[in-house]
Amino acid sequence: MPRFSIRALIAVACATLLAILSTVPMSASAQGATPEADCPPLSPEAIQERVQAFVDATNAEDLEQLEGLFHPDHQHNWSITPGSLDLQGYLDTIGNLFEAYDNYSFTADDILTADGAAVLRFTASGTQVLDFNGYPPSDQPATWTGIL
């Protein structure tokens, strides 16, 4: 399997989780700049639920559910694409990933929360069966782990 394919998937997962977490208040000063009615602080349980919703939507390959996790003005930067992607560009790219990888699985091994932030330890796997981002399929199963 080309090494870039695994790195590309890890980059996709990292960038996606960071984008989701960027909507979570990270400090009292950030919260103070936002009216409470528009952006209430999230409890550790609510943050964990949001990360789990991302994991579930990814496993379901549910672009509609993923779209609902992001702000409409979302900008996404990946090492696998040139420049910044808007929300639709992100959804198109992750949709291409879902099509290119057969039996894709993204498992939350641990979700840890503290001080308004989360860390996700994950295991992902799949078989690249179609071109993805200019790289031909390997048709070989791969499993990788990471921390977001």
Side-chain angles (χ1 to χ4, degrees), residues 23-77:
T23 65
V24 176
M26 294 300 183
S27 70
S29 62
Q31 183 59 36
T34 305
E36 190 169 324
D38 293 334
C39 188
L42 296 177
S43 68
E45 295 81 15
I47 294 170
Q48 188 162 355
E49 287 174 15
R50 190 173 182 99
V51 174
Q52 187 61 53
F54 162 73
V55 171
D56 294 343
T58 300
N59 277 316
E61 300 181 6
D62 187 336
L63 296 176
E64 214 172 286
Q65 187 178 2
L66 283 170
E67 180 178 12
L69 293 170
F70 294 96
H71 189 277
D73 294 332
H74 174 70
Q75 293 293 305
H76 204 89
N77 294 296

Side-chain angles (χ1 to χ4, degrees), residues 12-144:
V12 167
C14 289
T16 301
L17 185 60
L18 287 174
I20 289 170
L21 291 177
S22 71
T23 65
V24 176
M26 294 300 183
S27 70
S29 62
Q31 183 59 36
T34 305
E36 190 169 324
D38 293 334
C39 188
L42 296 177
S43 68
E45 295 81 15
I47 294 170
Q48 188 162 355
E49 287 174 15
R50 190 173 182 99
V51 174
Q52 187 61 53
F54 162 73
V55 171
D56 294 343
T58 300
N59 277 316
E61 300 181 6
D62 187 336
L63 296 176
E64 214 172 286
Q65 187 178 2
L66 283 170
E67 180 178 12
L69 293 170
F70 294 96
H71 189 277
D73 294 332
H74 174 70
Q75 293 293 305
H76 204 89
N77 294 296
W78 284 350
S79 62
I80 62 170
T81 59
S84 181
L85 298 174
D86 62 9
L87 180 56
Q88 190 57 54
Y90 161 77
L91 294 171
D92 291 345
T93 302
I94 196 87
N96 290 338
L97 181 141
F98 293 154
E99 290 177 16
Y101 282 81
D102 196 19
N103 301 318
Y104 180 72
S105 174
F106 188 83
T107 303
D109 299 320
D110 288 303
I111 301 172
L112 308 171
T113 61
D115 298 326
V119 174
L120 169 64
R121 188 173 64 85
F122 70 90
T123 301
S125 62
T127 303
Q128 185 184 353
V129 295
L130 299 173
D131 284 354
F132 178 69
N133 205 41
Y135 288 87
S138 67
D139 294 317
Q140 297 295 314
T143 298
W144 57 98

